[in-house]
Amino acid sequence: MKRLILLSPLLFFTVFNGAAQNGIEGRWYTFTRSNVIEFTLKKDSLVSRRLFWDLGPNIYSRHYYQSNAIIETRSVNGKFYYAIEELKRGDDGKAGSKKKTVGISIFKITRSGKELYLLSAAPEKYTDSVSLTNYIASDTTTKPGMIFLSESEIMRLKKLPAITTMNVEDCKRYCEKIKEMQTVLAADSVSKNLYYAYFMTHYLAGEVGYSPLFTTEEFGAWFKRFQKDPATKLLFEELFKE
């Protein structure tokens, strides 16, 4: 199974020069199991922060803040290829001994000004511009991995009603979308990873008219309510079976 290229412990992405003209510089957001992650894209760096579900800074997170240098970026055939430097623990395994490595990742705009995909590609090391040229020439990646939302889109979704106010009919629509997501994952048409599942569980609430910015406790309250509701009990048994 192919895996997403991560900036430990976070995903990363960026644009430079021509890429900036396509409106990717700025703030973008994705969802994990317990946090929102905000990425601020600049011409020479990527800064990421972990946020609470109200979009306030989660300064208590071990990985609250991270900054990485951008080495090189190209835009080819609608894809954004970029190389970003990260620090990794040295070969001796000691936390204080770190070395610099550079990896290549691929992004693609799916909804202009609203949504960006990190494509699922095998990990590749960047050594120089030639290595990036060779990588681009042989790239056939199309499978989506993580999804990122623009700042304007996340602010629009934030204004939607809370998931705890969801009615029965909307619950059924939401569950059908979750079922479709499970089918997509089973078909291997997207990257099989927990990040994608975590994101979509939140994102799909927005598609039926509710804010995806809900906490674990709010989702638990939603689950318990409809799990016991006669109108949705059987649906829950089928959808969330062990």
Side-chain angles (χ1 to χ4, degrees):
M1 178 182 73
K2 292 182 179 180
R3 65 178 180 85
L4 296 176
I5 302 175
L6 304 179
L7 273 178
S8 301
L10 305 178
L11 289 165
F12 68 88
F13 67 97
T14 187
V15 296
F16 193 48
N17 295 333
Q21 298 175 9
N22 289 285
I24 299 181
E25 276 192 17
R27 289 189 178 125
W28 295 79
Y29 299 82
T30 192
F31 310 134
T32 66
R33 180 168 62 95
S34 56
N35 290 274
V36 178
I37 302 180
E38 173 194 83
F39 296 89
T40 301
L41 298 164
K42 302 178 181 180
K43 289 186 176 182
D44 58 357
S45 67
L46 163 68
V47 176
S48 62
R49 296 192 306 157
R50 294 211 175 214
L51 309 177
F52 290 116
W53 293 106
D54 63 0
L55 302 184
N58 184 0
I59 60 175
Y60 304 104
S61 172
R62 184 164 59 96
H63 305 297
Y64 164 64
Y65 178 92
Q66 185 169 322
S67 179
N68 297 84
I70 298 166
I71 306 303
E72 184 176 357
T73 302
R74 298 188 203 171
S75 177
V76 179
N77 296 327
K79 293 181 180 179
F80 298 92
Y81 299 84
Y82 62 91
I84 284 192
E85 182 180 81
E86 63 173 315
L87 292 176
K88 285 190 174 182
R89 186 171 296 187
D91 295 332
D92 58 9
K94 295 180 180 178
S97 174
K98 294 186 176 181
K99 61 181 181 179
K100 294 180 180 180
T101 61
V102 181
I104 301 172
S105 282
I106 312 167
F107 285 86
K108 184 178 179 64
I109 296 174
T110 51
R111 289 192 295 155
S112 181
K114 294 183 178 181
E115 191 173 284
L116 188 73
Y117 275 180
L118 167 64
L119 299 183
S120 179
E124 182 71 22
K125 293 296 182 183
Y126 171 96
T127 54
D128 52 29
S129 290
V130 174
S131 67
L132 183 57
T133 298
N134 293 337
Y135 182 77
I136 292 171
S138 62
D139 173 50
T140 59
T141 306
T142 59
K143 186 182 291 186
M146 281 297 296
I147 303 172
F148 301 90
L149 302 176
S150 67
E151 184 173 25
S152 60
E153 184 66 1
I154 202 75
M155 292 306 173
R156 181 189 71 81
L157 293 169
K158 184 181 179 183
K159 296 176 182 178
L160 296 177
I163 193 175
T164 51
T165 67
M166 186 178 289
N167 60 46
V168 170
E169 290 307 311
D170 287 340
C171 176
K172 291 179 179 179
R173 291 172 57 215
Y174 180 42
C175 287
E176 284 302 318
K177 287 183 177 292
I178 291 177
K179 187 176 181 179
E180 290 172 6
M181 175 195 72
Q182 293 175 341
T183 301
V184 168
L185 285 171
D188 198 31
S189 55
V190 298
S191 177
K192 288 183 178 179
N193 63 88
L194 288 175
Y195 289 101
Y196 180 84
Y198 291 150
F199 178 91
M200 291 302 293
T201 300
H202 286 267
Y203 178 74
L204 292 174
E207 289 202 340
V208 297
Y210 296 86
S211 173
L213 299 171
F214 51 80
T215 65
T216 301
E217 291 74 21
E218 288 171 327
F219 185 79
W222 170 87
F223 187 91
K224 288 180 181 179
R225 174 187 164 198
F226 288 107
Q227 184 184 36
K228 297 177 181 179
D229 192 312
T232 52
K233 183 177 180 180
L234 291 178
L235 177 61
F236 268 55
E237 289 178 357
E238 176 187 359
L239 191 62
F240 299 106
K241 60 186 176 183
E242 294 292 336

